[in-house]
Amino acid sequence: METNARDRDLVEVMKRYFAVKAEVEDVKSRLEAARQESGEEIGAFYNPRTNLNHSADIVRSHALKQEMARLMDWAEAWGRQVLTPNGA
């Protein structure tokens, strides 16, 4: 199978996507464990303005999820381009 630069770019994007996904899952599990330990309601705990102890992780989680969405958008655009009759 022959690969070109765009194919290799896709591989790198997907590697980054799965690395970010793993980090999101790690942050999410830490936050959820802390929330359950505190007994706080979900809405109150995950508000970075009121939960200063965990606000950095909450904000980081949101930023990582946005990065995942951007990476997947890029991968989907790549896929659409490849599937068009004159896509390469």
Side-chain angles (χ1 to χ4, degrees):
M1 180 176 173
E2 188 177 320
T3 61
N4 61 33
R6 289 208 30 93
D7 294 341
R8 288 185 296 276
D9 288 346
L10 175 64
V11 169
E12 291 304 314
V13 165
M14 294 313 297
K15 282 182 184 178
R16 177 67 186 150
Y17 175 87
F18 288 112
V20 171
K21 183 177 179 182
E23 188 175 349
V24 166
E25 290 170 1
D26 180 56
V27 171
K28 184 179 172 182
S29 73
R30 282 196 325 262
L31 285 169
E32 189 55 23
R35 186 194 70 78
Q36 289 178 2
E37 185 178 306
S38 73
E40 279 189 74
E41 294 293 322
I42 291 172
F45 183 85
Y46 285 101
N47 183 341
R49 292 183 181 135
T50 58
N51 185 349
L52 300 180
N53 291 334
H54 295 89
S55 62
D57 276 343
I58 295 166
V59 170
R60 178 77 178 140
S61 174
H62 289 295
L64 289 168
K65 288 176 185 177
Q66 289 174 343
E67 183 177 357
M68 284 177 61
R70 283 191 301 273
L71 291 165
M72 190 52 66
D73 287 346
W74 190 95
E76 289 173 351
W78 178 91
R80 282 190 301 276
Q81 185 178 26
V82 168
L83 294 175
T84 60
N86 51 352

